[in-house]
Amino acid sequence: MSEYSTIVVSTESRVATIQLNRPEALNALNAEMMEEIVTAAMGFDADPGVGTILITGSQKAFAAGADIKQMADRGYADMYADDWFRRWDDLTRLRTPIVSAVSGFALGGGCELAMMSDIIIAAEGAKFGQPEINLGVIPGMGGSQRLTRAVGKAKAMDMILTGRRIDAAEAERIGLVSRVVADDQVLAEATTVAELIASKSKPSTQMAKEAVGSAFESTLGQGLLFERRMFHSLFATEDQAEGMSAFAQKRDPVWRHR
Ligand code: CAA
């Protein structure tokens, strides 16, 4: 019996999968689901046996946004008092690489959840959008910031001000997603990517994620220095010694993730 009611979790080959599971609401992200996703992901992040976290939804919807029905009757004081959506910040602080496999709708909070991951693999039929403007609000889970950093002002303004949906081909063209594959291949492709990352030395994948992430948080000079210091620090790991001697000896490295 699963400990969760809105997600299904499993772990195989160092990949932990979180499948969003509210089909009746197209995986709309209500408060319970937000809590469960973040709790599960934090548990996997702390597990040395997990090298990658994979987030996926259903064929029809990755997630159709935050749960509109749950928010509809709330007022400003409630939203502010609860600091609604703050919990997602905990997901973005995790050091384990996160891959999202996106099929169907990734709208509003669904698009924003996908953008919290490090690599998005999209199905050809996936649809991305920030339709909050049609509800009299704006993105609240990071869309105005992450979308703009991912695709630039022109496309971010276009999507956020008009609420228009884009297809997977456009999402790939503008740099929102890493790869687009046939609809029935998206989970297989994302799993392959997740397993490949999980097969590498964990300190180096974690530091690679931190170094790329710092590009969004710092000046170029600070980011370059941070990257260089991370690079130096990897020379304190057993895996660096193993990786470089394996190369010299023309054999595959055996990672100890330390
Ligand atoms: N919240 C709550 N319920 C939702 C939902 C959402 N975001 N999206 C879909 N649902 C529910 C529908 O109400 C419907 O429930 P009922 O059967 O009880 O009526 C069920 O899921 C199936 O949806 P539809 O019948 O609408 O399915 P469709 O195929 O006709 O349309 C859709 C699909 C175009 C995605 C449409 O459901 C839709 O437009 N959803 C809302 C998209 C949206 O506006 N997202 C942004 C939410 S706000 C937000 O995310 C804020 C933020 O920044 C975090």
Side-chain angles (χ1 to χ4, degrees):
M1 185 71 187
S2 168
E3 59 197 294
Y4 301 112
S5 58
T6 65
I7 58 174
V8 178
V9 299
S10 58
T11 307
E12 201 181 324
S13 307
R14 295 181 53 78
V15 174
T17 301
I18 299 175
Q19 180 168 29
L20 314 188
N21 190 33
R22 291 188 71 213
E24 71 288 356
L26 301 184
N27 291 331
L29 301 157
N30 62 12
E32 186 183 10
M33 199 176 196
M34 170 172 69
E35 187 57 38
E36 290 192 348
I37 293 168
V38 179
T39 300
M42 288 175 76
F44 290 137
D45 188 58
D47 182 346
V50 170
T52 316
I53 297 170
L54 174 61
I55 303 180
T56 188
S58 69
Q59 267 199 328
K60 175 148 190 200
F62 178 72
D67 192 314
I68 300 167
K69 294 167 188 168
Q70 192 173 52
M71 293 185 291
D73 296 329
R74 297 176 65 88
Y76 167 73
D78 309 317
M79 297 301 266
Y80 183 76
D82 293 346
D83 204 0
W84 201 255
F85 297 146
R86 193 217 59 81
R87 184 71 163 129
W88 291 115
D89 289 351
D90 295 333
L91 184 70
T92 62
R93 281 195 205 101
L94 303 186
R95 297 188 302 169
T96 306
I98 303 177
V99 175
S100 282
V102 176
S103 290
F105 297 110
L107 303 178
C111 186
E112 291 167 292
L113 174 58
M115 288 192 288
M116 287 179 213
S117 61
D118 303 302
I119 294 181
I120 301 175
I121 309 292
E124 274 171 351
K127 302 273 182 225
F128 296 84
Q130 298 290 161
E132 291 89 345
I133 207 83
N134 300 322
L135 299 166
V137 293
I138 65 170
M141 279 169 52
S144 66
Q145 304 303 300
R146 290 199 182 89
L147 185 64
T148 308
R149 281 168 167 77
V151 307
K153 176 181 168 182
K155 288 289 183 180
M157 285 289 193
D158 180 1
M159 290 174 66
I160 291 171
L161 286 175
T162 69
R164 117 180 137 86
R165 286 182 215 153
I166 61 171
D167 61 19
E170 183 171 359
E172 185 181 31
R173 195 169 69 242
I174 67 179
L176 177 56
V177 308
S178 302
R179 303 183 195 182
V180 178
V181 296
D183 289 352
D184 60 359
Q185 288 302 308
V186 68
L187 195 54
E189 180 79 3
T191 302
T192 301
V193 171
E195 285 180 356
L196 183 60
I197 295 167
S199 74
K200 318 264 182 211
S201 164
K202 192 165 176 180
S204 58
T205 60
Q206 287 180 315
M207 288 200 204
K209 170 172 172 152
E210 281 187 288
V212 175
S214 83
F216 297 101
E217 307 284 352
S218 58
T219 64
L220 178 60
Q222 289 165 337
L224 289 171
L225 181 61
F226 180 70
E227 179 199 77
R228 204 158 61 244
R229 294 289 179 248
M230 299 281 257
F231 180 76
H232 296 160
S233 70
L234 282 163
F235 285 73
T237 64
E238 292 177 20
D239 283 351
Q240 171 274 330
E242 166 65 7
M244 292 193 176
S245 52
F247 175 80
Q249 292 162 12
K250 302 187 187 301
R251 62 175 175 81
D252 288 336
V254 180
W255 303 124
R256 300 189 60 201
H257 306 293
R258 45 190 295 142

